[in-house]
Tab-separated table of all heavy atoms in Angstrom:
chain	number	residue	atom	x	y	z
A	36	THR	N	13.137	36.976	-34.372
A	36	THR	CA	12.792	35.903	-35.391
A	36	THR	C	13.955	35.829	-36.426
A	36	THR	O	14.881	36.575	-36.317
A	36	THR	CB	11.443	36.258	-36.259
A	36	THR	OG1	11.689	37.525	-37.020
A	36	THR	CG2	10.319	36.426	-35.409
A	37	LYS	N	14.004	34.720	-37.234
A	37	LYS	CA	15.107	34.595	-38.096
A	37	LYS	C	15.281	35.670	-39.018
A	37	LYS	O	16.422	36.131	-39.285
A	37	LYS	CB	14.903	33.218	-38.890
A	37	LYS	CG	16.110	33.004	-39.834
A	37	LYS	CD	16.064	31.620	-40.503
A	37	LYS	CE	17.353	31.408	-41.211
A	37	LYS	NZ	17.271	30.033	-41.848
A	38	ASP	N	14.173	36.222	-39.602
A	38	ASP	CA	14.239	37.503	-40.550
A	38	ASP	C	14.829	38.653	-39.836
A	38	ASP	O	15.713	39.291	-40.291
A	38	ASP	CB	12.917	37.705	-41.152
A	38	ASP	CG	12.483	36.608	-42.100
A	38	ASP	OD1	13.399	35.934	-42.608
A	38	ASP	OD2	11.209	36.508	-42.293
A	39	GLU	N	14.390	38.887	-38.565
A	39	GLU	CA	14.930	39.918	-37.734
A	39	GLU	C	16.384	39.775	-37.462
A	39	GLU	O	17.232	40.820	-37.467
A	39	GLU	CB	14.169	40.109	-36.465
A	39	GLU	CG	12.642	40.571	-36.723
A	39	GLU	CD	11.799	40.558	-35.370
A	39	GLU	OE1	12.363	39.705	-34.509
A	39	GLU	OE2	10.676	41.039	-35.474
A	40	TYR	N	16.807	38.588	-37.070
A	40	TYR	CA	18.278	38.306	-36.822
A	40	TYR	C	19.095	38.529	-38.008
A	40	TYR	O	20.020	39.148	-37.861
A	40	TYR	CB	18.365	36.796	-36.465
A	40	TYR	CG	19.763	36.461	-36.013
A	40	TYR	CD1	20.243	36.549	-34.821
A	40	TYR	CD2	20.505	35.725	-36.968
A	40	TYR	CE1	21.570	36.260	-34.459
A	40	TYR	CE2	21.754	35.454	-36.652
A	40	TYR	CZ	22.270	35.630	-35.438
A	40	TYR	OH	23.676	35.323	-35.168
A	41	ILE	N	18.628	38.067	-39.121
A	41	ILE	CA	19.456	38.269	-40.466
A	41	ILE	C	19.528	39.783	-40.731
A	41	ILE	O	20.754	40.229	-40.983
A	41	ILE	CB	18.856	37.467	-41.557
A	41	ILE	CG1	18.987	36.045	-41.421
A	41	ILE	CG2	19.418	37.965	-42.868
A	41	ILE	CD1	18.417	35.083	-42.353
A	42	ALA	N	18.527	40.566	-40.500
A	42	ALA	CA	18.607	42.038	-40.781
A	42	ALA	C	19.340	42.655	-39.799
A	42	ALA	O	20.165	43.563	-40.122
A	42	ALA	CB	17.204	42.598	-40.639
A	43	LEU	N	19.311	42.247	-38.506
A	43	LEU	CA	20.071	42.932	-37.404
A	43	LEU	C	21.613	42.588	-37.634
A	43	LEU	O	22.430	43.390	-37.275
A	43	LEU	CB	19.514	42.256	-36.030
A	43	LEU	CG	20.325	42.894	-34.691
A	43	LEU	CD1	19.788	44.303	-34.595
A	43	LEU	CD2	19.665	41.993	-33.514
A	44	HIS	N	22.039	41.367	-37.850
A	44	HIS	CA	23.467	41.047	-37.975
A	44	HIS	C	24.101	41.085	-39.356
A	44	HIS	O	25.118	40.723	-39.541
A	44	HIS	CB	23.563	39.707	-37.266
A	44	HIS	CG	23.235	39.650	-35.670
A	44	HIS	ND1	24.204	40.336	-34.879
A	44	HIS	CD2	22.241	39.266	-35.142
A	44	HIS	CE1	23.516	40.279	-33.706
A	44	HIS	NE2	22.392	39.667	-33.772
A	45	GLY	N	23.230	41.492	-40.440
A	45	GLY	CA	23.723	41.511	-41.671
A	45	GLY	C	24.178	40.233	-42.263
A	45	GLY	O	25.336	40.267	-43.120
A	46	CYS	N	23.538	39.236	-42.073
A	46	CYS	CA	23.954	37.819	-42.738
A	46	CYS	C	23.630	37.975	-44.187
A	46	CYS	O	22.565	38.418	-44.559
A	46	CYS	CB	23.341	36.753	-41.972
A	46	CYS	SG	23.576	36.788	-40.196
A	47	GLN	N	24.467	37.338	-45.026
A	47	GLN	CA	24.282	37.361	-46.496
A	47	GLN	C	23.351	36.065	-46.822
A	47	GLN	O	22.048	36.225	-46.840
A	47	GLN	CB	25.451	37.249	-47.158
A	47	GLN	CG	26.408	38.406	-46.926
A	47	GLN	CD	25.637	39.707	-47.410
A	47	GLN	OE1	24.985	39.902	-48.302
A	47	GLN	NE2	26.065	40.831	-46.670
A	48	GLU	N	23.872	34.953	-47.225
A	48	GLU	CA	23.082	33.858	-47.627
A	48	GLU	C	22.740	32.876	-46.551
A	48	GLU	O	21.599	32.335	-46.437
A	48	GLU	CB	23.957	33.044	-48.688
A	48	GLU	CG	24.255	33.837	-49.923
A	48	GLU	CD	25.242	32.945	-50.873
A	48	GLU	OE1	25.396	31.895	-50.570
A	48	GLU	OE2	25.724	33.747	-51.732
A	49	GLU	N	23.655	32.656	-45.646
A	49	GLU	CA	23.420	31.743	-44.506
A	49	GLU	C	23.536	32.424	-43.148
A	49	GLU	O	24.601	33.268	-42.960
A	49	GLU	CB	24.472	30.542	-44.558
A	49	GLU	CG	24.185	29.446	-43.760
A	49	GLU	CD	24.934	28.262	-44.030
A	49	GLU	OE1	25.841	28.455	-44.774
A	49	GLU	OE2	24.730	27.213	-43.510
A	50	ALA	N	22.611	32.326	-42.161
A	50	ALA	CA	22.861	32.904	-40.998
A	50	ALA	C	23.862	32.340	-40.066
A	50	ALA	O	24.159	31.057	-40.169
A	50	ALA	CB	21.473	32.685	-40.054
A	51	THR	N	24.675	33.138	-39.595
A	51	THR	CA	25.886	32.826	-38.917
A	51	THR	C	25.777	33.353	-37.462
A	51	THR	O	25.024	34.370	-37.201
A	51	THR	CB	27.208	33.267	-39.438
A	51	THR	OG1	27.050	34.776	-39.416
A	51	THR	CG2	27.446	32.775	-40.824
A	52	CYS	N	26.430	32.645	-36.536
A	52	CYS	CA	26.413	33.081	-35.047
A	52	CYS	C	27.151	34.426	-34.941
A	52	CYS	O	28.334	34.637	-35.495
A	52	CYS	CB	27.135	32.022	-34.303
A	52	CYS	SG	27.266	32.567	-32.523
A	53	PHE	N	26.532	35.340	-34.238
A	53	PHE	CA	27.132	36.740	-34.181
A	53	PHE	C	28.293	36.774	-33.189
A	53	PHE	O	29.151	37.565	-33.177
A	53	PHE	CB	26.093	37.750	-33.758
A	53	PHE	CG	25.517	37.540	-32.350
A	53	PHE	CD1	26.096	38.145	-31.211
A	53	PHE	CD2	24.384	36.626	-32.099
A	53	PHE	CE1	25.572	37.857	-29.954
A	53	PHE	CE2	23.900	36.536	-30.921
A	53	PHE	CZ	24.469	37.153	-29.783
A	54	LYS	N	28.363	35.660	-32.318
A	54	LYS	CA	29.424	35.507	-31.388
A	54	LYS	C	30.802	34.925	-31.883
A	54	LYS	O	31.859	35.414	-31.711
A	54	LYS	CB	28.927	34.858	-30.129
A	54	LYS	CG	29.468	35.225	-28.834
A	54	LYS	CD	28.752	34.533	-27.749
A	54	LYS	CE	29.094	35.249	-26.421
A	54	LYS	NZ	28.381	34.497	-25.314
A	55	CYS	N	30.635	33.764	-32.463
A	55	CYS	CA	31.734	33.034	-33.036
A	55	CYS	C	31.821	32.811	-34.523
A	55	CYS	O	32.854	32.352	-34.952
A	55	CYS	CB	31.827	31.645	-32.289
A	55	CYS	SG	30.447	30.474	-32.823
A	56	GLY	N	30.811	33.144	-35.186
A	56	GLY	CA	30.748	33.090	-36.712
A	56	GLY	C	30.424	31.656	-37.170
A	56	GLY	O	30.563	31.595	-38.461
A	57	SER	N	30.040	30.699	-36.378
A	57	SER	CA	29.861	29.340	-36.908
A	57	SER	C	28.427	29.379	-37.642
A	57	SER	O	27.550	30.211	-37.263
A	57	SER	CB	29.757	28.451	-35.601
A	57	SER	OG	29.310	27.185	-36.092
A	58	THR	N	28.391	28.460	-38.546
A	58	THR	CA	27.005	28.294	-39.288
A	58	THR	C	26.262	27.135	-38.766
A	58	THR	O	25.227	26.891	-39.491
A	58	THR	CB	27.334	28.274	-40.948
A	58	THR	OG1	28.215	27.170	-41.119
A	58	THR	CG2	28.047	29.477	-41.360
A	59	HIS	N	26.783	26.369	-37.895
A	59	HIS	CA	26.245	25.201	-37.601
A	59	HIS	C	25.232	25.581	-36.350
A	59	HIS	O	25.618	26.161	-35.332
A	59	HIS	CB	27.152	24.230	-37.052
A	59	HIS	CG	27.998	23.806	-38.113
A	59	HIS	ND1	27.645	23.020	-39.210
A	59	HIS	CD2	29.321	24.120	-38.380
A	59	HIS	CE1	28.707	22.731	-40.091
A	59	HIS	NE2	29.720	23.379	-39.535
A	60	VAL	N	23.923	25.168	-36.418
A	60	VAL	CA	23.048	25.622	-35.393
A	60	VAL	C	22.071	24.392	-35.191
A	60	VAL	O	22.017	23.421	-36.004
A	60	VAL	CB	21.998	26.769	-35.917
A	60	VAL	CG1	22.783	27.979	-35.994
A	60	VAL	CG2	21.297	26.419	-37.028
A	61	PHE	N	21.391	24.389	-33.939
A	61	PHE	CA	20.327	23.390	-33.711
A	61	PHE	C	19.237	24.092	-33.032
A	61	PHE	O	19.432	25.151	-32.369
A	61	PHE	CB	21.009	22.308	-32.772
A	61	PHE	CG	21.349	22.688	-31.475
A	61	PHE	CD1	20.586	22.458	-30.373
A	61	PHE	CD2	22.527	23.268	-31.177
A	61	PHE	CE1	20.874	22.846	-28.986
A	61	PHE	CE2	22.921	23.706	-29.803
A	61	PHE	CZ	22.106	23.533	-28.815
A	62	ASP	N	18.022	23.435	-33.037
A	62	ASP	CA	16.855	24.036	-32.434
A	62	ASP	C	16.719	23.315	-31.134
A	62	ASP	O	16.851	22.032	-31.076
A	62	ASP	CB	15.666	24.109	-33.352
A	62	ASP	CG	15.201	22.688	-33.737
A	62	ASP	OD1	15.873	22.123	-34.643
A	62	ASP	OD2	14.318	22.182	-33.037
A	63	PHE	N	16.173	24.072	-30.182
A	63	PHE	CA	16.046	23.526	-28.844
A	63	PHE	C	14.741	23.806	-28.368
A	63	PHE	O	14.239	24.980	-28.297
A	63	PHE	CB	17.095	24.112	-27.942
A	63	PHE	CG	17.063	23.812	-26.515
A	63	PHE	CD1	17.424	22.566	-26.040
A	63	PHE	CD2	16.633	24.712	-25.506
A	63	PHE	CE1	17.314	22.224	-24.654
A	63	PHE	CE2	16.479	24.423	-24.113
A	63	PHE	CZ	16.952	23.144	-23.750
A	64	GLY	N	13.965	22.917	-27.745
A	64	GLY	CA	12.560	23.063	-27.318
A	64	GLY	C	12.446	23.100	-25.770
A	64	GLY	O	11.271	23.032	-25.230
A	65	GLY	N	13.616	23.253	-25.041
A	65	GLY	CA	13.358	23.334	-23.643
A	65	GLY	C	13.237	21.913	-23.010
A	65	GLY	O	13.823	20.974	-23.524
A	66	LEU	N	12.384	21.764	-21.977
A	66	LEU	CA	12.285	20.572	-21.408
A	66	LEU	C	11.475	19.483	-22.117
A	66	LEU	O	11.542	18.386	-21.956
A	66	LEU	CB	11.501	20.707	-19.930
A	66	LEU	CG	12.295	21.546	-18.949
A	66	LEU	CD1	11.329	21.830	-17.792
A	66	LEU	CD2	13.507	20.878	-18.685
A	67	ASN	N	10.645	20.139	-23.071
A	67	ASN	CA	9.823	19.082	-23.937
A	67	ASN	C	10.220	19.215	-25.316
A	67	ASN	O	9.966	20.267	-25.974
A	67	ASN	CB	8.344	19.462	-23.746
A	67	ASN	CG	7.415	18.627	-24.460
A	67	ASN	OD1	7.899	17.718	-25.185
A	67	ASN	ND2	6.179	18.904	-24.341
A	68	PRO	N	10.874	18.219	-25.923
A	68	PRO	CA	11.330	18.316	-27.272
A	68	PRO	C	10.135	18.518	-28.339
A	68	PRO	O	10.338	18.881	-29.518
A	68	PRO	CB	11.888	16.907	-27.635
A	68	PRO	CG	12.209	16.323	-26.338
A	68	PRO	CD	11.280	17.034	-25.277
A	69	GLY	N	8.923	18.264	-27.876
A	69	GLY	CA	7.852	18.270	-28.817
A	69	GLY	C	7.141	19.694	-28.667
A	69	GLY	O	6.166	20.004	-29.504
A	70	MET	N	7.774	20.665	-27.949
A	70	MET	CA	7.177	21.926	-27.986
A	70	MET	C	7.368	22.800	-29.291
A	70	MET	O	8.291	22.531	-30.026
A	70	MET	CB	7.840	22.789	-26.884
A	70	MET	CG	7.583	22.343	-25.507
A	70	MET	SD	8.298	23.393	-24.245
A	70	MET	CE	7.352	24.884	-24.380
Side-chain angles (χ1 to χ4, degrees):
T36 63
K37 185 174 183 179
D38 293 334
E39 293 168 346
Y40 179 84
I41 289 173
L43 182 66
H44 295 288
C46 303
Q47 299 297 330
E48 297 172 15
E49 193 172 5
T51 59
C52 176
F53 67 89
K54 212 171 192 182
C55 70
S57 175
T58 58
H59 301 287
V60 297
F61 69 98
D62 62 277
F63 176 72
L66 297 175
N67 182 358
M70 289 183 73

